[in-house]
Amino acid sequence: MQDIIARNGLETPEPLKAEVKSVPPWLQGTLVRNGPGLFSVGNSEYNHWFDGLSLIHSFTFHNEVTYRSKYLKSETYKSNTKADRIVVSEFGTMVYPDPCKNIFAVPNFTDNNLINIIRYGQDYYASSEVNYINQIDPLTLETVGRANYRNHIALNLATAHPHYDKDGNTFNMGTAIIGLGRPKYIIFKVPANASKDPKKPALRKVQQICSVPFRSTLYPSYFHSFGMTENYIVFVEQPFKLDIVKLATAYFRGVNWGSCLKFDEKDSTFFHVINIKTGKAKSLHYHADALVVFHHINAYEEDDHVVFDIIAYKDSNLYDMFYLHNMTKETDNFIQTNKVFSPPVCQRFVLPLNVQKQDSPKGTNLVTLTDTTAQAVMQDDGSIYCKPDTIFEMELPGINYNFNARKYRYFYGSRLEWSPHPNKQIAKVDIVTKTHVEWRQENCYPSEPVFVASPGAEEEDDVILSSVVSSDPSVSPFLLILNAKTFEEVGRASIPVPVHIDLHGLFI
Ligand SMILES: [Fe+2]
């Protein structure tokens, strides 16, 4: 694993036919995925796995299966390649472009969008969490050009995990920190018809739904995703925070941006429930113990409650685990170092909506749903303290997206074992029975599982796709197709070139 986690990837720019074993004929489309693929340029190296330059790859199903991969031709990629060394800072790597200049030179901000593929209107973008996104052609993987959120809406950061409603509208959240007026979180929408004029970017049609003020002006919460029900956005304001003063001075102090994130275990976690149509937040003050969350699984409304599921951690050590000096340790050493890290746990929180502060009995559980042990207890000060129902240990969650914002039963994800390395198996979890089935193969590392529904399917489970790489050189990388009901293998498409380990993607 050490050999494949941080090796520089190869481009396969022309479609390469895969060796296919049994692919369902209805499976037509392209799975486009993103992740870090280049960890050194010239003699310079990145410090952190999430710093690697974006390498996009795709698996296209159209009577046969073809594979392609191309580096995202971001300005960051072009600048680094031209200089033959890393000249643009990333989250875990601070660099100073010109050694002749002093450190008070202004840094180029990265547009290395390595996390996910997202859609605004009919346009597809490689995205990370900065103010730039790079449009790509999802068929050829060519980079079309970059867009800057700040030309269309006042924000500095935006998530790489938007939501889509059934009409094709995209909803996302961002943060306005510096130079954009009063600091705040921003919720916005890009309408489905935003790409009517192909010469103009879909982002020009962006609409701000509302803003939410920071609880603490100088320490906004970091967030990687959010939840969406039919009527509400669910935003977790967690005590994993950005230190704005440290961020503003990091470059001059010679430390990386990552060092400006801090988990405050003594603080609380706050839940905001915001009406999508009116932009108004519920006035109830929901809170829970300190936690760290990166990924929401799903959220829905039931009998005047908002139910939402997240992958929660007890601390913020996950980010530290992905420093490359840690990831490339020998197995025994890695286990020793990382065994104290908190595991990712799926937790369900339930927020009662129609609560009258003055009438509600203090100290009693206000959750009336009978299929959960999650609690929401009215406190003396009128706030509501929430305790989760614990479901399963899992990360990189996915669902049948037709069930997004609806009551659902199954989710899929990667089971993270701290030994010897993460992502050794993928699993399907039944939330009702709290049981799971899993797929694994010796020395194989499957990526985040992606659910694809067959045409006309009404049930919640159908097929699962996962890009699998092996540390055994005799096993070619392959695109795995599983029956989503049983988690038994339906087929696989072997790729005759190296494939890199990725993060997230989209089936188009
Ligand atoms: Fe993510």
Side-chain angles (χ1 to χ4, degrees):
M1 181 67 177
Q2 291 91 333
D3 298 334
I4 57 175
I5 187 76
R7 73 178 172 204
N8 287 341
L10 293 174
E11 287 190 312
T12 306
E14 296 304 321
L16 190 67
K17 200 172 158 188
E19 193 181 307
V20 172
K21 203 173 85 185
S22 181
V23 172
W26 62 262
L27 186 60
Q28 304 271 317
T30 298
L31 176 66
V32 187
R33 297 190 55 80
N34 198 351
L38 194 65
F39 301 92
S40 63
V41 183
N43 293 323
S44 57
E45 295 180 346
Y46 288 116
N47 297 329
H48 199 280
W49 195 66
F50 296 153
D51 294 343
L53 292 171
S54 161
L55 178 52
I56 296 174
H57 60 170
S58 66
F59 304 84
T60 298
F61 301 85
H62 186 70
N63 303 327
E64 57 185 18
V65 180
T66 51
Y67 177 77
R68 294 182 206 240
S69 64
K70 281 181 190 170
Y71 280 106
L72 180 70
K73 302 304 184 302
S74 61
E75 294 304 315
T76 302
Y77 176 92
K78 289 189 259 187
S79 300
N80 288 343
T81 310
K82 190 174 170 197
D84 196 31
R85 66 189 177 91
I86 298 165
V87 292
V88 180
S89 298
E90 297 295 336
F91 209 64
T93 307
M94 187 64 87
V95 294
Y96 298 92
D98 183 347
C100 302
K101 284 186 185 167
N102 67 29
I103 62 166
F104 295 101
V106 178
N108 285 333
F109 209 68
T110 179
D111 66 342
N112 173 30
N113 305 124
L114 78 157
I115 297 181
N116 202 1
I117 305 295
I118 65 174
R119 178 178 61 72
Y120 286 130
Q122 294 305 311
D123 300 343
Y124 292 91
Y125 295 88
S127 69
S128 48
E129 298 183 323
V130 296
N131 59 306
Y132 294 116
I133 47 178
N134 269 286
Q135 191 179 347
I136 59 156
D137 180 327
L139 281 180
T140 64
L141 305 186
E142 282 298 308
T143 304
V144 177
R146 79 179 184 185
N148 185 350
Y149 281 110
R150 290 186 62 170
N151 291 341
H152 309 279
I153 185 169
L155 50 80
N156 304 94
L157 307 169
T159 86
H161 288 287
H163 278 293
Y164 309 94
D165 69 11
K166 58 182 184 310
D167 297 324
N169 302 303
T170 306
F171 297 84
N172 205 350
M173 277 196 71
T175 309
I177 308 176
I178 299 166
L180 298 170
R182 197 190 147 102
K184 52 198 172 291
Y185 309 107
I186 306 281
I187 298 174
F188 60 93
K189 170 184 172 181
V190 180
N193 65 1
S195 308
K196 270 191 178 159
D197 183 345
K199 290 194 179 123
K200 294 183 178 164
L203 270 183
R204 82 194 190 285
K205 294 277 189 185
V206 65
Q207 302 161 6
Q208 181 170 320
I209 293 174
C210 72
S211 64
V212 178
F214 295 169
R215 193 156 51 91
S216 167
T217 309
L218 290 177
Y219 303 95
S221 175
Y222 166 80
F223 58 97
H224 185 77
S225 63
F226 58 96
M228 189 171 84
T229 72
E230 191 184 341
N231 294 296
Y232 299 103
I233 296 287
V234 180
F235 168 46
V236 177
E237 193 175 17
Q238 60 184 341
F240 186 31
K241 305 172 189 176
L242 296 161
D243 183 323
I244 291 187
V245 174
K246 280 190 174 171
L247 266 179
T249 58
Y251 184 74
F252 309 116
R253 292 183 295 117
V255 298
N256 64 31
W257 315 114
S259 69
C260 308
L261 272 169
K262 191 177 180 321
F263 176 56
D264 184 354
E265 61 188 359
K266 294 195 179 70
D267 200 357
S268 296
T269 303
F270 291 83
F271 303 136
H272 301 268
V273 178
I274 298 136
N275 187 301
I276 296 169
K277 289 195 181 73
T278 66
K280 284 212 163 61
K282 279 269 169 196
S283 60
L284 293 163
H285 190 64
Y286 303 104
H287 58 101
D289 292 340
L291 59 80
V292 171
V293 52
F294 296 94
H295 295 119
H296 283 247
I297 305 171
N298 198 2
Y300 60 91
E301 292 158 48
E302 184 175 20
D303 294 338
D304 276 335
H305 300 75
V306 160
V307 179
F308 69 97
D309 299 332
I310 58 173
I311 307 291
Y313 294 82
K314 285 184 178 156
D315 56 46
S316 60
N317 289 338
L318 181 77
Y319 181 77
D320 296 333
M321 199 190 81
F322 281 90
Y323 273 102
L324 287 168
H325 65 77
N326 190 39
M327 296 289 282
T328 52
K329 276 178 181 164
E330 286 305 312
T331 300
D332 290 346
N333 196 352
F334 179 90
I335 294 169
Q336 200 58 31
T337 310
N338 297 295
K339 66 183 180 186
V340 296
F341 287 4
S342 77
V345 178
C346 168
Q347 295 185 333
R348 167 162 292 185
F349 285 93
V350 180
L351 312 181
L353 293 176
N354 286 330
V355 174
Q356 302 304 321
K357 287 181 192 171
Q358 59 280 16
D359 299 338
S360 298
K362 309 286 185 283
T364 56
N365 178 21
L366 303 172
V367 174
T368 56
L369 302 182
T370 54
D371 60 354
T372 179
T373 61
Q375 296 189 3
V377 179
M378 176 65 77
Q379 305 296 291
D380 289 342
D381 63 359
S383 67
I384 299 172
Y385 172 62
C386 305
K387 283 172 87 168
D389 185 357
T390 294
I391 296 174
F392 196 67
E393 277 189 24
M394 181 81 104
E395 244 302 0
L396 297 174
I399 59 169
N400 174 352
Y401 203 75
N402 291 333
F403 282 77
N404 191 55
R406 292 169 57 192
K407 185 162 182 172
Y408 72 121
R409 180 163 179 174
Y410 305 107
F411 68 94
Y412 312 88
S414 297
R415 295 215 64 195
L416 294 179
E417 280 181 6
W418 300 132
S419 58
H421 277 284
N423 289 12
K424 276 210 77 173
Q425 56 259 353
I426 47 177
K428 169 191 179 181
V429 176
D430 182 333
I431 297 168
V432 173
T433 60
K434 293 190 179 177
T435 56
H436 78 284
V437 285
E438 64 186 31
W439 178 92
R440 65 161 76 205
Q441 183 175 318
E442 196 63 25
N443 298 320
C444 283
Y445 299 87
S447 71
E448 167 197 64
V450 174
F451 183 95
V452 183
S454 61
E458 288 185 2
E459 293 201 32
E460 200 181 329
D461 43 10
D462 222 324
V463 299
I464 289 293
L465 304 180
S466 175
S467 165
V468 183
V469 298
S470 176
S471 56
D472 178 349
S474 69
V475 177
S476 296
F478 57 95
L479 197 278
L480 174 69
I481 305 164
L482 297 177
N483 178 323
K485 272 199 174 68
T486 61
F487 245 50
E488 284 165 359
E489 183 169 332
V490 172
R492 59 173 72 185
S494 293
I495 313 297
V497 290
V499 168
H500 67 296
I501 295 175
D502 60 19
L503 276 169
H504 298 299
L506 201 60
F507 185 81
I508 301 167

